[in-house]
Amino acid sequence: RARALRRGVEGKGVRQAAMAEVLADVEMMESLELSDGERSPRPPRAESASASANDAVPLMSGAGAKSCEPQGSDGGGDNPRSSASAMKSPSVSVADALEREQMLRQPATPLKHLIISSVFGNMLEWYDFGVFASFSTEISQAFFTGGRLEELLEVYGVFAVAFFARPLGGFLLGLIGDKYARTLSLQISVVAMGVSALVLSILPTNNVGTYKIGPPATILIVIVRIVQGLSVGGEMVGSMLYMVEHVPEKWKCLVSCVPMASAVGGTATGYLVSAIITALLTEDQRVLWGWRVAFALGVPAGAVGFMFRTCLSESHSFSSAIKKFAARHQNQHPFFFALRNAPGAMACLTLLSMLLCGYYAATVWYLQAWLEAFYTSLIAEEFQLSELQGRVLNTFLLYFALAGGALVTAFFIDLKGQNIAQHTLIGASASLLFILSPILLWLMSLGNRCYFCVAGGQLGNIVVFLPTTATLALFLVAQFPPQLQYTSIALAYNVGQAAFGGTIPFIATAMVVKNEFLLTPSFYVSGLALMGA
């Protein structure tokens, strides 16, 4: 059939070739779906591709008012496919062909729209997480009671709540994205995150300011964080898949890394805003209303992200895959179909992806959120860096080392033609982190006795982690077929984030407080790196 297709459509153009392939695929599907008793013999397809392409042209040009039946070369009624079963096929094929024609005529989404929508969406999602982590001390005083360390543990618990909601959000948005449209899931995600950021900026507090309402305020902030977790559960995976599906093979690693880098950039922007607010306001002002301003500043990014996402169109690869699946298995969702028919393979792939994502999530939040708290709050008080110093250092390293470094690493991987396997790069990165993590944390424990050691320790962790950040998205996408990618990857990624990423600030802080041995969290990170390798 492929050879006939190539011969028949030679010189007739790419669109006619696509139309002919659709017609042949639909006929093949219908012949397979008929039972042996119902299947009528089909004549040889010597002119199948050519006839299909020629038959489709009048329909595209508006001449389809004559008939939906293919005509002979002389325009008469003699039709080589005039059997009863074949009469059904052209009508289905025509609808199928017209749909493909409309899809092919639809202009492709410009690359700048892809990048802008991904950057603004992911930056908003992770900006709020960065602000929450950066203002953890102020938020703990506004919504919790107790000593400083107890309040910090409580606010890290609320931080983790959003991560526990992520698997459900990723699963629900993934079901929508795999069955209906990637763009719909992305629009829902960015709107929910923008609204929750606005609500968080006006929440009453527990015991601070004129808007204090007592313990119900703590319940309200937990509810808002759950909504944020539900929305962010589908954001990263959706934008990651959308980028991979719309770029040429040559730059897949670089473009698929954009959502990862923009997420880190969003966290860094949260730290930057918090650093500016910390420099301009007193501690009482920050506790009273400074953190509210930081959350409110993220709302416009949600509006911009939604505006660009309304201009996005679905990719050819996803549309073709989901249409073919729907033709064979009507009223079934691809994920549940695969789960029923290949439960072992699905469980194995999802579990392995989950462990890898857990290692990634724990390490990235260890680098982004906890290390700053370590050298500003958890080491001996006389050696601690000031909050302003910690936020400036962390922001600089996240922007230029983690986000920028990941893009540069991905660029060189593409430049070399991806000669090195992605799993090899991830394994090498995890192995180095397993060895170096305790040494680098010890350097940071020196605090203000050696500022260079603090910066060098965090930078060393980031550099070792770059190959994982650059290749993770492309590696995950390659594990599942298009019609299963959103749900499967979202489930694996967000369960890993919930189990390991959201809990690491709490677990690492508890290790330092209870054991009074500063390097204990580094051994936990080394164990996670071994799991990822």
Side-chain angles (χ1 to χ4, degrees), residues 118 122 125-126 166-167 169-171 173-175 177-178 182 185-186 189 231-245 256 259-260 263 309 357 472-474 476-477 480 482 484-495 497:
S118 176
N122 281 287
E125 305 280 1
W126 295 103
R166 287 184 57 159
F171 183 70
L173 291 174
L175 292 177
D178 275 339
R182 314 284 206 215
S185 290
L186 291 173
S189 174
S231 62
V232 79
E235 170 61 34
M236 171 65 77
V237 175
S239 59
M240 181 175 71
L241 289 176
Y242 199 83
M243 298 294 280
V244 171
E245 290 172 351
S256 68
M260 299 290 190
R309 287 185 177 181
C357 292
L472 180 68
L474 203 56
L476 290 174
V477 170
F480 300 92
L484 297 177
Q485 286 172 349
Y486 207 144
T487 309
S488 303
I489 297 176
L491 189 62
Y493 183 79
N494 288 297
V495 170
Q497 285 274 359

Side-chain angles (χ1 to χ4, degrees), residues 334-419:
F335 178 79
F336 297 117
F337 179 82
L339 203 60
R340 284 194 302 269
N341 290 274
M346 282 293 294
C348 182
L349 278 175
T350 304
L351 179 60
L352 292 176
S353 300
M354 194 181 302
L355 293 176
L356 176 60
C357 292
Y359 150 66
Y360 169 80
T363 306
V364 79
W365 283 107
Y366 174 79
L367 297 174
Q368 290 183 146
W370 188 77
L371 287 181
E372 181 193 341
F374 175 74
Y375 51 69
T376 59
S377 302
L378 296 176
I379 62 176
E381 189 171 353
E382 62 269 22
F383 302 135
Q384 293 176 3
L385 275 65
S386 68
E387 288 190 2
L388 180 59
Q389 289 174 329
R391 287 175 183 174
V392 170
L393 173 62
N394 198 36
T395 301
F396 180 83
L397 290 177
L398 291 182
Y399 266 130
F400 297 102
L402 188 51
L407 292 174
V408 171
T409 303
F411 172 78
F412 280 107
I413 291 173
D414 280 334
L415 204 61
K416 295 297 182 181
Q418 302 181 21
N419 292 328

Side-chain angles (χ1 to χ4, degrees), residues 9-96:
V9 300
E10 185 177 358
K12 296 184 181 294
V14 175
R15 180 169 290 124
Q16 292 183 4
M19 297 282 292
E21 185 176 3
V22 166
L23 293 170
D25 283 344
V26 171
E27 289 187 12
M28 184 180 295
M29 282 190 289
E30 289 180 346
S31 66
L32 291 174
E33 287 170 358
L34 291 173
S35 64
D36 288 338
E38 297 173 330
R39 186 182 300 130
S40 51
R42 294 190 180 268
R45 296 194 48 86
E47 86 284 348
S48 60
S50 172
S52 299
N54 289 330
D55 293 339
V57 173
L59 291 170
M60 292 187 292
S61 60
K66 294 180 180 180
S67 174
C68 289
E69 298 180 15
Q71 301 297 323
S73 59
D74 60 350
D78 291 333
N79 185 1
R81 292 177 293 172
S82 58
S83 66
S85 61
M87 291 291 290
K88 174 183 162 185
S89 177
S91 61
V92 177
S93 301
V94 164
D96 202 48

Side-chain angles (χ1 to χ4, degrees), residues 319 340 446:
S319 299
R340 284 194 302 269
L446 297 177

Side-chain angles (χ1 to χ4, degrees), residues 127 131 134-135 266-280 290-291 293-295 297-298 391 395 399:
Y127 168 82
V131 168
S134 186
F135 280 109
T267 307
T269 304
Y271 284 125
L272 176 63
V273 170
S274 67
I276 294 173
I277 292 176
T278 300
L280 296 178
W291 60 272
V293 174
F295 281 110
L297 290 175
R391 287 175 183 174
T395 301
Y399 266 130

